[in-house]
Amino acid sequence: MEDYYQLKVYSRIHKLQNNIAIGSMPPHALVIEDAPEYLSDVLRFFSSKKTIKEAEVYLSENTNLSSKEINLLLNDLMENEIIVKSNYDPNNRYSRHSLYYEMIDTNAGDAQKILAEKTVGLVGMGGIGSNVAMNLAAAGVGKLIFSDGDTIEISNLTRQYLYKENQVGQSKVESAKKQLQLLNSEIELIPVCESISGEELFDNHFSECDFVVLSADSPFFIHEWINNAALKYGFSYSNAGYIETYGAIGPLVIPGETACYECYKDKGDLYQFSDNKAELSVNLNESFQAPSYGPLNAMVSSIQANEVIRFLLGLKTKTSGKRLLINSENYKIHEEKYEKKNNCLCSDIKCKYPSVVSVSNSEKQLHEVYIEERESDSFNSILLDKTMSKLVKMNKGETKILDIGCATGEQALHFANKGAKVTAVDISNDMLKVLDKKANNINAGSVKTVLGNIESIEINDKFNYILCNNILDYLPEINNTLRKLNALLENEGTLIITIPHPIKDGGGWRKEYYNGKWNYEEFILKDYFNEGSIEKSREDKNGETVIKSIKTYHRTTETYFNSFSDAGFKIVSLLEPQPISRVSETHPILFEKCSRIPYFQVFVLKKEDRYAI
Ligand SMILES: [Zn+2]
């Protein structure tokens, strides 16, 4: 069957003067400047599904384009994903959800099939459970199992929208089944009319679940029971509810991957006084009743339902190992992290689900993005090139430079052109190819490229300067590498090490999109002292995230300082480069970021005298 193509259904398209604006927000928005007259007609033509043949006929009848030009145009439209293969069916009940899945880069057809095969349990069908159930039923989750022993009370109706006045006095789960089936007749619904009395509830009813939402806080041991069952049957689960006027979502427990309840149970607010369960389980206020407010229930339920759907689809879930506390008055969100404990019940459990964050292709991606932007549109070009050029002085005789992590060689070429003999090392063949090409035009010194990483390459030479630019943060261990660099350096030589600034890597920007651009609201320093592997993203010069996850290692300045010293170096100077003001015009977003917080630390090091051989 021939493929059908169509504009992305979710993209608004406007012709504004000579421009055609497609979509409204990044990463989907696109502007075609100086668009030819016929283009808006062509786009309108693709408002509904068309074959490429139909498009060729239309274009040859309605424009003066040659058949070669028509081919090029159609290829351009496909390549830039302005038109895409379409099996969009507006009459499908999930069609609007499908558009959302497409926008978050999830195959919509697959997503709906995956959801249809999943089973979700809901323990508690009050304000949270009933609302989550409505969301999941509407979204087409194949099977819902839900338990509650209560009957509907008139005071429930402020927030348990599933139930109606004429159902007051009836069983919650039986009423829920009726209402949910009216909402979606294609899914299977299993009511369990039982209150929570022990772990058997999970054994008897929830063992087949892919995910369970717990929205009940009593009896006291409920958290232990669901956790034991989750570890036994391998299902993931999450808590959702509220604490006084705060909404609480999470932590989402994935057995074998995140912390489980046993990992963190002794850390509740009351455990600081006593871990005596008999005491902890008794509330002296016998008329205690938690406030429960409709809009807050709806907020918490919606976030929880979104987390469940994302989990089922294999997408990243914000609440994995974390609890979000939402202030219902100002919507500020506070995050609590739950760490895995060693030797916990969950330690030996293998995770049933593939890890949702994949970093495998990130290095290659990084190299591609780097090649595209390095020359003039990066923090490197704005902050480091001038700094380096000031730090490296040409000798009277020969100046030998080792450039480790040379990338596309901007610095190597700069110094070669001043007469230096540069040995340039990188792990990316693609980048070295770019450098080799440019090295043909050097008129003074020379550049020799070496493929490999600093930990394993062998170089039998000594250098006046070694440049080590943004390399150490990729290495889990740096002491051996530093000693190796010491051995490669001439006695009077200089080692220049650049690292991403530890303050920058200890936090992140909160950015919001408005006024047609990304706005950097505040930088949040989260965890400066916590060293070890981190994941960060990379943005282009417009603030678009171009790589979602790069794995590097974070160390404090003190750790770097001590490592340099241990490897036999003394620090001659330390620089934190700032952009010059002209950059604010050429690269406003890069300028905004790197003029407010430091992006690099540059250490200038010499051999400690006793190490000079
Ligand atoms: Zn655990």
Side-chain angles (χ1 to χ4, degrees), residues 541-557:
K541 62 176 171 169
N542 299 317
E544 298 302 338
T545 302
V546 282
I547 302 175
K548 284 188 185 145
S549 175
I550 306 166
K551 186 177 166 190
T552 63
Y553 295 87
H554 168 66
R555 299 176 183 91
T556 62
T557 301

Side-chain angles (χ1 to χ4, degrees), residues 260 262-263 344 346:
C260 79
E262 292 292 329
C263 293
C344 177
C346 69

Side-chain angles (χ1 to χ4, degrees), residues 193-297:
C193 191
E194 273 178 42
S195 39
I196 311 156
S197 53
E199 214 174 306
E200 314 81 64
L201 177 80
F202 297 96
D203 291 327
N204 295 340
H205 302 290
F206 293 97
S207 59
E208 61 171 307
C209 289
D210 296 289
F211 196 97
V212 177
V213 176
L214 174 66
S215 60
D217 231 4
S218 61
F220 182 76
F221 292 104
I222 175 68
H223 298 286
E224 256 170 66
W225 296 334
I226 191 173
N227 195 64
N228 288 343
L231 299 187
K232 197 186 325 177
Y233 300 111
F235 63 73
S236 296
Y237 73 94
S238 179
N239 298 281
Y242 32 81
I243 301 167
E244 301 187 341
T245 59
Y246 282 71
I249 304 107
L252 194 163
V253 173
I254 306 173
E257 184 169 312
T258 66
C260 79
Y261 177 69
E262 292 292 329
C263 293
Y264 60 78
K265 69 171 181 183
D266 299 339
K267 300 208 175 94
D269 52 349
L270 297 178
Y271 277 88
Q272 56 181 310
F273 305 110
S274 162
D275 58 3
N276 181 329
K277 284 174 184 159
E279 282 178 0
L280 286 162
S281 60
V282 175
N283 185 345
L284 299 180
N285 180 358
E286 289 173 358
S287 60
F288 171 77
Q289 191 64 263
S292 186
Y293 176 57
L296 179 56
N297 274 272

Side-chain angles (χ1 to χ4, degrees), residues 194-484:
E194 273 178 42
S195 39
I196 311 156
S197 53
E199 214 174 306
E200 314 81 64
L201 177 80
F202 297 96
D203 291 327
N204 295 340
H205 302 290
F206 293 97
S207 59
E208 61 171 307
C209 289
D210 296 289
F211 196 97
V212 177
V213 176
L214 174 66
S215 60
D217 231 4
S218 61
F220 182 76
F221 292 104
I222 175 68
H223 298 286
E224 256 170 66
W225 296 334
I226 191 173
N227 195 64
N228 288 343
L231 299 187
K232 197 186 325 177
Y233 300 111
F235 63 73
S236 296
Y237 73 94
S238 179
N239 298 281
Y242 32 81
I243 301 167
E244 301 187 341
T245 59
Y246 282 71
I249 304 107
L252 194 163
V253 173
I254 306 173
E257 184 169 312
T258 66
C260 79
Y261 177 69
E262 292 292 329
C263 293
Y264 60 78
K265 69 171 181 183
D266 299 339
K267 300 208 175 94
D269 52 349
L270 297 178
Y271 277 88
Q272 56 181 310
F273 305 110
S274 162
D275 58 3
N276 181 329
K277 284 174 184 159
E279 282 178 0
L280 286 162
S281 60
V282 175
N283 185 345
L284 299 180
N285 180 358
E286 289 173 358
S287 60
F288 171 77
Q289 191 64 263
S292 186
Y293 176 57
L296 179 56
N297 274 272
M299 268 186 248
V300 169
S301 307
S302 302
I303 296 174
Q304 183 60 71
N306 191 35
E307 289 289 276
V308 175
I309 292 172
R310 292 184 65 88
F311 175 84
L312 296 177
L313 295 179
L315 300 168
K316 196 168 179 172
T317 43
K318 175 86 178 165
T319 56
S320 293
K322 269 185 212 156
R323 180 162 77 165
L324 304 185
L325 289 172
I326 302 180
N327 183 325
S328 60
E329 293 182 278
N330 61 19
Y331 318 118
K332 286 227 164 82
I333 297 184
H334 175 70
E335 274 183 43
E336 291 176 343
K337 237 183 179 174
Y338 293 81
E339 301 291 350
K340 268 179 114 161
K341 195 175 81 179
N342 289 334
N343 303 321
C344 177
L345 293 178
C346 69
S347 300
D348 296 330
I349 291 184
K350 281 239 161 63
C351 180
K352 255 174 60 171
Y353 303 91
S355 178
V356 286
V357 183
S358 150
V359 292
S360 55
N361 274 326
S362 67
E363 257 181 32
K364 188 153 176 50
Q365 257 181 319
L366 178 64
H367 298 160
E368 282 166 13
V369 171
Y370 194 95
I371 290 171
E372 228 167 78
E373 297 192 343
R374 171 60 178 87
E375 234 161 274
S376 57
D377 290 334
S378 66
F379 285 124
N380 275 285
S381 56
I382 289 170
L383 295 173
L384 291 182
D385 287 352
K386 281 235 165 63
T387 309
M388 287 300 152
S389 135
K390 273 186 207 150
L391 289 173
V392 176
K393 308 256 185 305
M394 291 299 131
N395 292 345
K396 285 239 170 69
E398 192 181 54
T399 306
K400 287 205 278 187
I401 299 177
L402 175 62
D403 184 357
I404 300 164
C406 63
T408 48
E410 269 62 28
Q411 284 165 15
L413 292 165
H414 172 80
F415 295 122
N417 274 319
K418 285 171 132 185
K421 268 181 81 177
V422 183
T423 303
V425 181
D426 206 279
I427 55 166
S428 162
N429 206 12
D430 292 343
M431 297 226 234
L432 290 183
K433 271 191 219 153
V434 176
L435 171 53
D436 277 330
K437 226 186 223 167
K438 293 185 194 161
N440 290 334
N441 304 324
I442 297 174
N443 38 32
S446 65
V447 174
K448 184 178 114 192
T449 54
V450 178
L451 180 67
N453 78 44
I454 177 61
E455 288 168 300
S456 55
I457 50 160
E458 280 190 31
I459 296 175
N460 298 315
D461 209 346
K462 293 232 175 198
F463 298 89
N464 306 105
Y465 286 94
I466 299 179
L467 314 179
C468 184
N469 188 354
N470 295 320
I471 293 299
L472 296 186
D473 55 307
Y474 284 91
L475 306 180
E477 200 280 332
I478 58 174
N479 294 333
N480 290 333
T481 298
L482 288 170
R483 276 191 282 274
K484 187 170 180 177

